[in-house]
PDB file of all heavy atoms in Angstrom:
ATOM      1  N   TYR A   1     104.218 102.430  82.006  1.00 91.00           N
ATOM      2  CA  TYR A   1     104.551 101.672  80.811  1.00 91.00           C
ATOM      3  C   TYR A   1     103.430 100.691  80.506  1.00 91.00           C
ATOM      4  O   TYR A   1     102.881 100.064  81.416  1.00 91.00           O
ATOM      5  CB  TYR A   1     105.872 100.922  81.000  1.00 91.00           C
ATOM      6  CG  TYR A   1     107.032 101.857  81.235  1.00 91.00           C
ATOM      7  CD1 TYR A   1     107.559 102.046  82.512  1.00 91.00           C
ATOM      8  CD2 TYR A   1     107.594 102.567  80.187  1.00 91.00           C
ATOM      9  CE1 TYR A   1     108.609 102.911  82.732  1.00 91.00           C
ATOM     10  CE2 TYR A   1     108.647 103.439  80.398  1.00 91.00           C
ATOM     11  CZ  TYR A   1     109.151 103.598  81.667  1.00 91.00           C
ATOM     12  OH  TYR A   1     110.193 104.465  81.876  1.00 91.00           O
ATOM     13  N   VAL A   2     103.097 100.570  79.222  1.00 91.00           N
ATOM     14  CA  VAL A   2     102.026  99.669  78.798  1.00 91.00           C
ATOM     15  C   VAL A   2     102.565  98.664  77.788  1.00 91.00           C
ATOM     16  O   VAL A   2     103.539  98.931  77.076  1.00 91.00           O
ATOM     17  CB  VAL A   2     100.831 100.438  78.188  1.00 91.00           C
ATOM     18  CG1 VAL A   2     100.158 101.305  79.230  1.00 91.00           C
ATOM     19  CG2 VAL A   2     101.268 101.288  77.016  1.00 91.00           C
ATOM     20  N   ASP A   3     101.906  97.506  77.725  1.00 91.00           N
ATOM     21  CA  ASP A   3     102.309  96.490  76.749  1.00 91.00           C
ATOM     22  C   ASP A   3     101.662  96.763  75.398  1.00 91.00           C
ATOM     23  O   ASP A   3     101.004  97.797  75.204  1.00 91.00           O
ATOM     24  CB  ASP A   3     101.968  95.085  77.266  1.00 91.00           C
ATOM     25  CG  ASP A   3     100.478  94.886  77.517  1.00 91.00           C
ATOM     26  OD1 ASP A   3      99.666  95.711  77.038  1.00 91.00           O
ATOM     27  OD2 ASP A   3     100.126  93.901  78.191  1.00 91.00           O
ATOM     28  N   SER A   4     101.821  95.852  74.464  1.00 91.00           N
ATOM     29  CA  SER A   4     101.306  96.044  73.101  1.00 91.00           C
ATOM     30  C   SER A   4      99.779  96.106  73.056  1.00 91.00           C
ATOM     31  O   SER A   4      99.206  96.657  72.122  1.00 91.00           O
ATOM     32  CB  SER A   4     101.815  94.940  72.180  1.00 91.00           C
ATOM     33  OG  SER A   4     101.402  93.674  72.679  1.00 91.00           O
ATOM     34  N   GLU A   5      99.121  95.571  74.068  1.00 91.00           N
ATOM     35  CA  GLU A   5      97.659  95.605  74.133  1.00 91.00           C
ATOM     36  C   GLU A   5      97.138  96.848  74.844  1.00 91.00           C
ATOM     37  O   GLU A   5      95.932  97.034  74.970  1.00 91.00           O
ATOM     38  CB  GLU A   5      97.138  94.343  74.831  1.00 91.00           C
ATOM     39  CG  GLU A   5      97.470  93.059  74.097  1.00 91.00           C
ATOM     40  CD  GLU A   5      97.095  91.832  74.895  1.00 91.00           C
ATOM     41  OE1 GLU A   5      96.499  91.978  75.992  1.00 91.00           O
ATOM     42  OE2 GLU A   5      97.404  90.726  74.428  1.00 91.00           O
ATOM     43  N   GLY A   6      98.023  97.673  75.342  1.00 88.00           N
ATOM     44  CA  GLY A   6      97.629  98.901  76.020  1.00 88.00           C
ATOM     45  C   GLY A   6      97.383  98.720  77.512  1.00 88.00           C
ATOM     46  O   GLY A   6      96.925  99.638  78.183  1.00 88.00           O
ATOM     47  N   LYS A   7      97.686  97.541  78.034  1.00 90.00           N
ATOM     48  CA  LYS A   7      97.524  97.289  79.472  1.00 90.00           C
ATOM     49  C   LYS A   7      98.809  97.670  80.195  1.00 90.00           C
ATOM     50  O   LYS A   7      99.901  97.361  79.736  1.00 90.00           O
ATOM     51  CB  LYS A   7      97.214  95.816  79.732  1.00 90.00           C
ATOM     52  CG  LYS A   7      95.877  95.377  79.187  1.00 90.00           C
ATOM     53  CD  LYS A   7      95.636  93.931  79.513  1.00 90.00           C
ATOM     54  CE  LYS A   7      94.296  93.474  78.945  1.00 90.00           C
ATOM     55  NZ  LYS A   7      94.071  92.049  79.241  1.00 90.00           N
ATOM     56  N   PRO A   8      98.671  98.338  81.341  1.00 91.00           N
ATOM     57  CA  PRO A   8      99.881  98.724  82.081  1.00 91.00           C
ATOM     58  C   PRO A   8     100.548  97.503  82.711  1.00 91.00           C
ATOM     59  O   PRO A   8      99.874  96.550  83.108  1.00 91.00           O
ATOM     60  CB  PRO A   8      99.354  99.680  83.152  1.00 91.00           C
ATOM     61  CG  PRO A   8      97.922  99.326  83.311  1.00 91.00           C
ATOM     62  CD  PRO A   8      97.453  98.815  81.989  1.00 91.00           C
ATOM     63  N   TYR A   9     101.872  97.547  82.764  1.00 92.00           N
ATOM     64  CA  TYR A   9     102.619  96.469  83.421  1.00 92.00           C
ATOM     65  C   TYR A   9     102.355  96.533  84.925  1.00 92.00           C
ATOM     66  O   TYR A   9     102.451  97.594  85.541  1.00 92.00           O
ATOM     67  CB  TYR A   9     104.115  96.617  83.156  1.00 92.00           C
ATOM     68  CG  TYR A   9     104.508  96.310  81.737  1.00 92.00           C
ATOM     69  CD1 TYR A   9     104.918  97.326  80.880  1.00 92.00           C
ATOM     70  CD2 TYR A   9     104.479  95.009  81.250  1.00 92.00           C
ATOM     71  CE1 TYR A   9     105.288  97.050  79.571  1.00 92.00           C
ATOM     72  CE2 TYR A   9     104.849  94.723  79.943  1.00 92.00           C
ATOM     73  CZ  TYR A   9     105.252  95.750  79.115  1.00 92.00           C
ATOM     74  OH  TYR A   9     105.609  95.475  77.820  1.00 92.00           O
ATOM     75  N   GLN A  10     102.035  95.386  85.494  1.00 92.00           N
ATOM     76  CA  GLN A  10     101.734  95.330  86.923  1.00 92.00           C
ATOM     77  C   GLN A  10     102.958  95.691  87.772  1.00 92.00           C
ATOM     78  O   GLN A  10     102.831  96.370  88.781  1.00 92.00           O
ATOM     79  CB  GLN A  10     101.213  93.936  87.299  1.00 92.00           C
ATOM     80  CG  GLN A  10      99.825  93.647  86.776  1.00 92.00           C
ATOM     81  CD  GLN A  10      98.811  94.612  87.356  1.00 92.00           C
ATOM     82  OE1 GLN A  10      98.595  94.659  88.555  1.00 92.00           O
ATOM     83  NE2 GLN A  10      98.205  95.413  86.497  1.00 92.00           N
ATOM     84  N   SER A  11     104.126  95.256  87.346  1.00 93.00           N
ATOM     85  CA  SER A  11     105.334  95.570  88.113  1.00 93.00           C
ATOM     86  C   SER A  11     105.572  97.076  88.154  1.00 93.00           C
ATOM     87  O   SER A  11     105.995  97.615  89.181  1.00 93.00           O
ATOM     88  CB  SER A  11     106.546  94.859  87.509  1.00 93.00           C
ATOM     89  OG  SER A  11     106.741  95.260  86.168  1.00 93.00           O
ATOM     90  N   ASN A  12     105.271  97.757  87.063  1.00 93.00           N
ATOM     91  CA  ASN A  12     105.415  99.212  87.002  1.00 93.00           C
ATOM     92  C   ASN A  12     104.431  99.884  87.953  1.00 93.00           C
ATOM     93  O   ASN A  12     104.794 100.810  88.701  1.00 93.00           O
ATOM     94  CB  ASN A  12     105.217  99.672  85.559  1.00 93.00           C
ATOM     95  CG  ASN A  12     105.318 101.166  85.376  1.00 93.00           C
ATOM     96  OD1 ASN A  12     104.413 101.771  84.827  1.00 93.00           O
ATOM     97  ND2 ASN A  12     106.408 101.767  85.810  1.00 93.00           N
ATOM     98  N   LEU A  13     103.178  99.421  87.941  1.00 94.00           N
ATOM     99  CA  LEU A  13     102.159 100.002  88.826  1.00 94.00           C
ATOM    100  C   LEU A  13     102.503  99.744  90.297  1.00 94.00           C
ATOM    101  O   LEU A  13     102.338 100.626  91.140  1.00 94.00           O
ATOM    102  CB  LEU A  13     100.777  99.425  88.496  1.00 94.00           C
ATOM    103  CG  LEU A  13     100.228  99.749  87.109  1.00 94.00           C
ATOM    104  CD1 LEU A  13      98.877  99.083  86.919  1.00 94.00           C
ATOM    105  CD2 LEU A  13     100.122 101.242  86.891  1.00 94.00           C
ATOM    106  N   LYS A  14     103.005  98.548  90.583  1.00 94.00           N
ATOM    107  CA  LYS A  14     103.393  98.224  91.964  1.00 94.00           C
ATOM    108  C   LYS A  14     104.542  99.110  92.423  1.00 94.00           C
ATOM    109  O   LYS A  14     104.577  99.552  93.584  1.00 94.00           O
ATOM    110  CB  LYS A  14     103.774  96.750  92.072  1.00 94.00           C
ATOM    111  CG  LYS A  14     102.590  95.817  91.981  1.00 94.00           C
ATOM    112  CD  LYS A  14     103.017  94.365  92.007  1.00 94.00           C
ATOM    113  CE  LYS A  14     101.824  93.450  91.801  1.00 94.00           C
ATOM    114  NZ  LYS A  14     102.209  92.046  91.699  1.00 94.00           N
ATOM    115  N   GLU A  15     105.486  99.375  91.524  1.00 94.00           N
ATOM    116  CA  GLU A  15     106.623 100.232  91.866  1.00 94.00           C
ATOM    117  C   GLU A  15     106.167 101.667  92.116  1.00 94.00           C
ATOM    118  O   GLU A  15     106.632 102.319  93.053  1.00 94.00           O
ATOM    119  CB  GLU A  15     107.670 100.194  90.745  1.00 94.00           C
ATOM    120  CG  GLU A  15     108.886 101.041  91.016  1.00 94.00           C
ATOM    121  CD  GLU A  15     109.708 100.593  92.211  1.00 94.00           C
ATOM    122  OE1 GLU A  15     109.537  99.454  92.693  1.00 94.00           O
ATOM    123  OE2 GLU A  15     110.522 101.405  92.684  1.00 94.00           O
ATOM    124  N   ILE A  16     105.249 102.170  91.309  1.00 94.00           N
ATOM    125  CA  ILE A  16     104.704 103.520  91.518  1.00 94.00           C
ATOM    126  C   ILE A  16     104.002 103.585  92.871  1.00 94.00           C
ATOM    127  O   ILE A  16     104.209 104.526  93.642  1.00 94.00           O
ATOM    128  CB  ILE A  16     103.750 103.911  90.369  1.00 94.00           C
ATOM    129  CG1 ILE A  16     104.535 104.100  89.070  1.00 94.00           C
ATOM    130  CG2 ILE A  16     102.971 105.177  90.711  1.00 94.00           C
ATOM    131  CD1 ILE A  16     103.669 104.253  87.838  1.00 94.00           C
ATOM    132  N   LYS A  17     103.207 102.575  93.174  1.00 94.00           N
ATOM    133  CA  LYS A  17     102.490 102.533  94.457  1.00 94.00           C
ATOM    134  C   LYS A  17     103.485 102.461  95.617  1.00 94.00           C
ATOM    135  O   LYS A  17     103.334 103.159  96.623  1.00 94.00           O
ATOM    136  CB  LYS A  17     101.550 101.335  94.489  1.00 94.00           C
ATOM    137  CG  LYS A  17     100.751 101.238  95.757  1.00 94.00           C
ATOM    138  CD  LYS A  17      99.829 100.034  95.758  1.00 94.00           C
ATOM    139  CE  LYS A  17      99.098  99.947  97.081  1.00 94.00           C
ATOM    140  NZ  LYS A  17      98.386  98.699  97.229  1.00 94.00           N
ATOM    141  N   ARG A  18     104.524 101.643  95.461  1.00 94.00           N
ATOM    142  CA  ARG A  18     105.523 101.496  96.525  1.00 94.00           C
ATOM    143  C   ARG A  18     106.240 102.826  96.776  1.00 94.00           C
ATOM    144  O   ARG A  18     106.410 103.239  97.924  1.00 94.00           O
ATOM    145  CB  ARG A  18     106.542 100.425  96.141  1.00 94.00           C
ATOM    146  CG  ARG A  18     107.550 100.129  97.253  1.00 94.00           C
ATOM    147  CD  ARG A  18     108.712  99.294  96.765  1.00 94.00           C
ATOM    148  NE  ARG A  18     109.573 100.003  95.844  1.00 94.00           N
ATOM    149  CZ  ARG A  18     110.470 100.927  96.203  1.00 94.00           C
ATOM    150  NH1 ARG A  18     110.612 101.274  97.466  1.00 94.00           N
ATOM    151  NH2 ARG A  18     111.221 101.526  95.294  1.00 94.00           N
ATOM    152  N   ARG A  19     106.632 103.515  95.692  1.00 93.00           N
ATOM    153  CA  ARG A  19     107.329 104.797  95.853  1.00 93.00           C
ATOM    154  C   ARG A  19     106.433 105.840  96.516  1.00 93.00           C
ATOM    155  O   ARG A  19     106.888 106.630  97.344  1.00 93.00           O
ATOM    156  CB  ARG A  19     107.817 105.306  94.504  1.00 93.00           C
ATOM    157  CG  ARG A  19     108.988 104.529  93.978  1.00 93.00           C
ATOM    158  CD  ARG A  19     109.480 105.100  92.688  1.00 93.00           C
ATOM    159  NE  ARG A  19     110.602 104.324  92.183  1.00 93.00           N
ATOM    160  CZ  ARG A  19     111.245 104.615  91.076  1.00 93.00           C
ATOM    161  NH1 ARG A  19     110.887 105.666  90.359  1.00 93.00           N
ATOM    162  NH2 ARG A  19     112.242 103.866  90.683  1.00 93.00           N
ATOM    163  N   TYR A  20     105.169 105.846  96.143  1.00 95.00           N
ATOM    164  CA  TYR A  20     104.219 106.773  96.767  1.00 95.00           C
ATOM    165  C   TYR A  20     104.112 106.485  98.260  1.00 95.00           C
ATOM    166  O   TYR A  20     104.158 107.395  99.084  1.00 95.00           O
ATOM    167  CB  TYR A  20     102.848 106.660  96.090  1.00 95.00           C
ATOM    168  CG  TYR A  20     101.759 107.411  96.807  1.00 95.00           C
ATOM    169  CD1 TYR A  20     101.690 108.801  96.730  1.00 95.00           C
ATOM    170  CD2 TYR A  20     100.808 106.746  97.576  1.00 95.00           C
ATOM    171  CE1 TYR A  20     100.699 109.501  97.400  1.00 95.00           C
ATOM    172  CE2 TYR A  20      99.821 107.440  98.245  1.00 95.00           C
ATOM    173  CZ  TYR A  20      99.773 108.814  98.153  1.00 95.00           C
ATOM    174  OH  TYR A  20      98.796 109.502  98.824  1.00 95.00           O
ATOM    175  N   GLU A  21     103.990 105.219  98.607  1.00 95.00           N
ATOM    176  CA  GLU A  21     103.865 104.850 100.023  1.00 95.00           C
ATOM    177  C   GLU A  21     105.123 105.199 100.806  1.00 95.00           C
ATOM    178  O   GLU A  21     105.043 105.589 101.976  1.00 95.00           O
ATOM    179  CB  GLU A  21     103.532 103.362 100.139  1.00 95.00           C
ATOM    180  CG  GLU A  21     102.119 103.040  99.685  1.00 95.00           C
ATOM    181  CD  GLU A  21     101.822 101.553  99.590  1.00 95.00           C
ATOM    182  OE1 GLU A  21     102.767 100.732  99.683  1.00 95.00           O
ATOM    183  OE2 GLU A  21     100.641 101.217  99.415  1.00 95.00           O
ATOM    184  N   VAL A  22     106.293 105.083 100.175  1.00 94.00           N
ATOM    185  CA  VAL A  22     107.544 105.468 100.834  1.00 94.00           C
ATOM    186  C   VAL A  22     107.540 106.970 101.118  1.00 94.00           C
ATOM    187  O   VAL A  22     107.908 107.402 102.218  1.00 94.00           O
ATOM    188  CB  VAL A  22     108.763 105.068  99.970  1.00 94.00           C
ATOM    189  CG1 VAL A  22     110.033 105.750 100.443  1.00 94.00           C
ATOM    190  CG2 VAL A  22     108.932 103.562  99.975  1.00 94.00           C
ATOM    191  N   GLU A  23     107.124 107.776 100.135  1.00 94.00           N
ATOM    192  CA  GLU A  23     107.064 109.235 100.319  1.00 94.00           C
ATOM    193  C   GLU A  23     106.111 109.604 101.462  1.00 94.00           C
ATOM    194  O   GLU A  23     106.434 110.423 102.315  1.00 94.00           O
ATOM    195  CB  GLU A  23     106.617 109.928  99.028  1.00 94.00           C
ATOM    196  CG  GLU A  23     107.602 109.838  97.896  1.00 94.00           C
ATOM    197  CD  GLU A  23     108.680 110.889  97.955  1.00 94.00           C
ATOM    198  OE1 GLU A  23     108.467 111.921  98.606  1.00 94.00           O
ATOM    199  OE2 GLU A  23     109.728 110.667  97.343  1.00 94.00           O
ATOM    200  N   VAL A  24     104.937 108.993 101.454  1.00 96.00           N
ATOM    201  CA  VAL A  24     103.946 109.277 102.491  1.00 96.00           C
ATOM    202  C   VAL A  24     104.462 108.827 103.857  1.00 96.00           C
ATOM    203  O   VAL A  24     104.300 109.533 104.858  1.00 96.00           O
ATOM    204  CB  VAL A  24     102.592 108.612 102.151  1.00 96.00           C
ATOM    205  CG1 VAL A  24     101.629 108.690 103.323  1.00 96.00           C
ATOM    206  CG2 VAL A  24     101.981 109.261 100.923  1.00 96.00           C
ATOM    207  N   SER A  25     105.112 107.676 103.893  1.00 97.00           N
ATOM    208  CA  SER A  25     105.664 107.171 105.148  1.00 97.00           C
ATOM    209  C   SER A  25     106.728 108.118 105.697  1.00 97.00           C
ATOM    210  O   SER A  25     106.765 108.401 106.901  1.00 97.00           O
ATOM    211  CB  SER A  25     106.262 105.785 104.915  1.00 97.00           C
ATOM    212  OG  SER A  25     106.927 105.329 106.053  1.00 97.00           O
ATOM    213  N   PHE A  26     107.598 108.628 104.812  1.00 96.00           N
ATOM    214  CA  PHE A  26     108.631 109.564 105.245  1.00 96.00           C
ATOM    215  C   PHE A  26     108.006 110.855 105.757  1.00 96.00           C
ATOM    216  O   PHE A  26     108.447 111.409 106.765  1.00 96.00           O
ATOM    217  CB  PHE A  26     109.612 109.841 104.108  1.00 96.00           C
ATOM    218  CG  PHE A  26     110.779 110.685 104.523  1.00 96.00           C
ATOM    219  CD1 PHE A  26     111.693 110.230 105.454  1.00 96.00           C
ATOM    220  CD2 PHE A  26     110.954 111.949 103.997  1.00 96.00           C
ATOM    221  CE1 PHE A  26     112.767 111.016 105.849  1.00 96.00           C
ATOM    222  CE2 PHE A  26     112.014 112.747 104.379  1.00 96.00           C
ATOM    223  CZ  PHE A  26     112.931 112.276 105.305  1.00 96.00           C
ATOM    224  N   MET A  27     106.964 111.330 105.071  1.00 96.00           N
ATOM    225  CA  MET A  27     106.281 112.543 105.512  1.00 96.00           C
ATOM    226  C   MET A  27     105.658 112.320 106.898  1.00 96.00           C
ATOM    227  O   MET A  27     105.774 113.173 107.780  1.00 96.00           O
ATOM    228  CB  MET A  27     105.191 112.946 104.522  1.00 96.00           C
ATOM    229  CG  MET A  27     104.478 114.235 104.917  1.00 96.00           C
ATOM    230  SD  MET A  27     103.160 114.698 103.802  1.00 96.00           S
ATOM    231  CE  MET A  27     102.002 113.369 104.058  1.00 96.00           C
ATOM    232  N   ASN A  28     105.031 111.171 107.098  1.00 97.00           N
ATOM    233  CA  ASN A  28     104.439 110.868 108.401  1.00 97.00           C
ATOM    234  C   ASN A  28     105.508 110.793 109.487  1.00 97.00           C
ATOM    235  O   ASN A  28     105.285 111.256 110.613  1.00 97.00           O
ATOM    236  CB  ASN A  28     103.651 109.564 108.334  1.00 97.00           C
ATOM    237  CG  ASN A  28     102.389 109.696 107.510  1.00 97.00           C
ATOM    238  OD1 ASN A  28     101.875 110.788 107.311  1.00 97.00           O
ATOM    239  ND2 ASN A  28     101.907 108.583 106.996  1.00 97.00           N
ATOM    240  N   ALA A  29     106.674 110.233 109.153  1.00 97.00           N
ATOM    241  CA  ALA A  29     107.768 110.167 110.119  1.00 97.00           C
ATOM    242  C   ALA A  29     108.244 111.570 110.493  1.00 97.00           C
ATOM    243  O   ALA A  29     108.514 111.843 111.670  1.00 97.00           O
ATOM    244  CB  ALA A  29     108.916 109.354 109.550  1.00 97.00           C
ATOM    245  N   GLN A  30     108.327 112.461 109.513  1.00 97.00           N
ATOM    246  CA  GLN A  30     108.733 113.835 109.793  1.00 97.00           C
ATOM    247  C   GLN A  30     107.688 114.557 110.646  1.00 97.00           C
ATOM    248  O   GLN A  30     108.028 115.323 111.538  1.00 97.00           O
ATOM    249  CB  GLN A  30     108.983 114.609 108.492  1.00 97.00           C
ATOM    250  CG  GLN A  30     110.202 114.145 107.726  1.00 97.00           C
ATOM    251  CD  GLN A  30     111.480 114.371 108.511  1.00 97.00           C
ATOM    252  OE1 GLN A  30     111.957 113.463 109.191  1.00 97.00           O
ATOM    253  NE2 GLN A  30     112.025 115.542 108.435  1.00 97.00           N
ATOM    254  N   GLU A  31     106.412 114.307 110.381  1.00 97.00           N
ATOM    255  CA  GLU A  31     105.360 114.921 111.190  1.00 97.00           C
ATOM    256  C   GLU A  31     105.395 114.385 112.618  1.00 97.00           C
ATOM    257  O   GLU A  31     105.168 115.134 113.570  1.00 97.00           O
ATOM    258  CB  GLU A  31     103.999 114.697 110.540  1.00 97.00           C
ATOM    259  CG  GLU A  31     103.814 115.545 109.292  1.00 97.00           C
ATOM    260  CD  GLU A  31     102.524 115.279 108.549  1.00 97.00           C
ATOM    261  OE1 GLU A  31     101.903 114.213 108.748  1.00 97.00           O
ATOM    262  OE2 GLU A  31     102.132 116.150 107.736  1.00 97.00           O
ATOM    263  N   ASP A  32     105.702 113.102 112.789  1.00 97.00           N
ATOM    264  CA  ASP A  32     105.856 112.533 114.129  1.00 97.00           C
ATOM    265  C   ASP A  32     107.046 113.161 114.848  1.00 97.00           C
ATOM    266  O   ASP A  32     106.979 113.451 116.045  1.00 97.00           O
ATOM    267  CB  ASP A  32     106.039 111.011 114.058  1.00 97.00           C
ATOM    268  CG  ASP A  32     104.788 110.282 113.618  1.00 97.00           C
ATOM    269  OD1 ASP A  32     103.693 110.897 113.643  1.00 97.00           O
ATOM    270  OD2 ASP A  32     104.899 109.093 113.239  1.00 97.00           O
ATOM    271  N   LYS A  33     108.123 113.378 114.095  1.00 97.00           N
ATOM    272  CA  LYS A  33     109.313 114.013 114.662  1.00 97.00           C
ATOM    273  C   LYS A  33     108.983 115.432 115.126  1.00 97.00           C
ATOM    274  O   LYS A  33     109.401 115.858 116.207  1.00 97.00           O
ATOM    275  CB  LYS A  33     110.418 114.029 113.606  1.00 97.00           C
ATOM    276  CG  LYS A  33     111.759 114.457 114.097  1.00 97.00           C
ATOM    277  CD  LYS A  33     112.787 114.305 112.976  1.00 97.00           C
ATOM    278  CE  LYS A  33     114.145 114.741 113.406  1.00 97.00           C
ATOM    279  NZ  LYS A  33     115.123 114.622 112.305  1.00 97.00           N
ATOM    280  N   ARG A  34     108.226 116.161 114.302  1.00 97.00           N
ATOM    281  CA  ARG A  34     107.805 117.522 114.668  1.00 97.00           C
ATOM    282  C   ARG A  34     106.964 117.491 115.945  1.00 97.00           C
ATOM    283  O   ARG A  34     107.154 118.305 116.850  1.00 97.00           O
ATOM    284  CB  ARG A  34     107.019 118.154 113.530  1.00 97.00           C
ATOM    285  CG  ARG A  34     106.473 119.533 113.851  1.00 97.00           C
ATOM    286  CD  ARG A  34     105.715 120.151 112.728  1.00 97.00           C
ATOM    287  NE  ARG A  34     104.600 119.303 112.326  1.00 97.00           N
ATOM    288  CZ  ARG A  34     103.813 119.531 111.294  1.00 97.00           C
ATOM    289  NH1 ARG A  34     104.006 120.566 110.530  1.00 97.00           N
ATOM    290  NH2 ARG A  34     102.828 118.721 111.008  1.00 97.00           N
ATOM    291  N   PHE A  35     106.053 116.530 116.044  1.00 97.00           N
ATOM    292  CA  PHE A  35     105.210 116.398 117.229  1.00 97.00           C
ATOM    293  C   PHE A  35     106.064 116.136 118.463  1.00 97.00           C
ATOM    294  O   PHE A  35     105.812 116.709 119.532  1.00 97.00           O
ATOM    295  CB  PHE A  35     104.192 115.267 117.016  1.00 97.00           C
ATOM    296  CG  PHE A  35     103.292 115.039 118.181  1.00 97.00           C
ATOM    297  CD1 PHE A  35     102.286 115.943 118.490  1.00 97.00           C
ATOM    298  CD2 PHE A  35     103.459 113.921 118.989  1.00 97.00           C
ATOM    299  CE1 PHE A  35     101.455 115.735 119.586  1.00 97.00           C
ATOM    300  CE2 PHE A  35     102.639 113.709 120.077  1.00 97.00           C
ATOM    301  CZ  PHE A  35     101.634 114.614 120.378  1.00 97.00           C
ATOM    302  N   GLU A  36     107.081 115.291 118.322  1.00 97.00           N
ATOM    303  CA  GLU A  36     107.966 114.997 119.456  1.00 97.00           C
ATOM    304  C   GLU A  36     108.730 116.244 119.905  1.00 97.00           C
ATOM    305  O   GLU A  36     108.920 116.468 121.096  1.00 97.00           O
ATOM    306  CB  GLU A  36     108.946 113.873 119.104  1.00 97.00           C
ATOM    307  CG  GLU A  36     108.286 112.519 118.940  1.00 97.00           C
ATOM    308  CD  GLU A  36     107.562 112.044 120.189  1.00 97.00           C
ATOM    309  OE1 GLU A  36     108.094 112.225 121.313  1.00 97.00           O
ATOM    310  OE2 GLU A  36     106.446 111.505 120.044  1.00 97.00           O
ATOM    311  N   VAL A  37     109.153 117.064 118.948  1.00 96.00           N
ATOM    312  CA  VAL A  37     109.860 118.305 119.293  1.00 96.00           C
ATOM    313  C   VAL A  37     108.911 119.246 120.029  1.00 96.00           C
ATOM    314  O   VAL A  37     109.295 119.864 121.032  1.00 96.00           O
ATOM    315  CB  VAL A  37     110.458 118.982 118.040  1.00 96.00           C
ATOM    316  CG1 VAL A  37     110.988 120.367 118.362  1.00 96.00           C
ATOM    317  CG2 VAL A  37     111.554 118.114 117.445  1.00 96.00           C
TER     318      VAL A  37
END
């Protein structure tokens, strides 16, 4: 989402980054689980 000046909202960018990091973290946890098995 962007404001009237065309700049992206920082809260939106932070949320996208946070969701990406959650996905990557979950994937890493699953890979660790596989390694343990």
Side-chain angles (χ1 to χ4, degrees):
Y1 298 103
V2 295
D3 60 15
S4 59
E5 297 173 4
K7 294 181 181 179
Y9 289 110
Q10 289 298 298
S11 60
N12 179 234
L13 296 179
K14 288 177 185 175
E15 180 64 16
I16 291 170
K17 181 180 177 190
R18 185 192 68 77
R19 287 183 181 181
Y20 171 75
E21 289 171 349
V22 166
E23 293 276 338
V24 170
S25 174
F26 186 64
M27 182 182 66
N28 290 338
Q30 291 296 95
E31 288 175 341
D32 291 345
K33 189 175 179 181
R34 177 179 58 186
F35 179 72
E36 291 300 319
V37 171

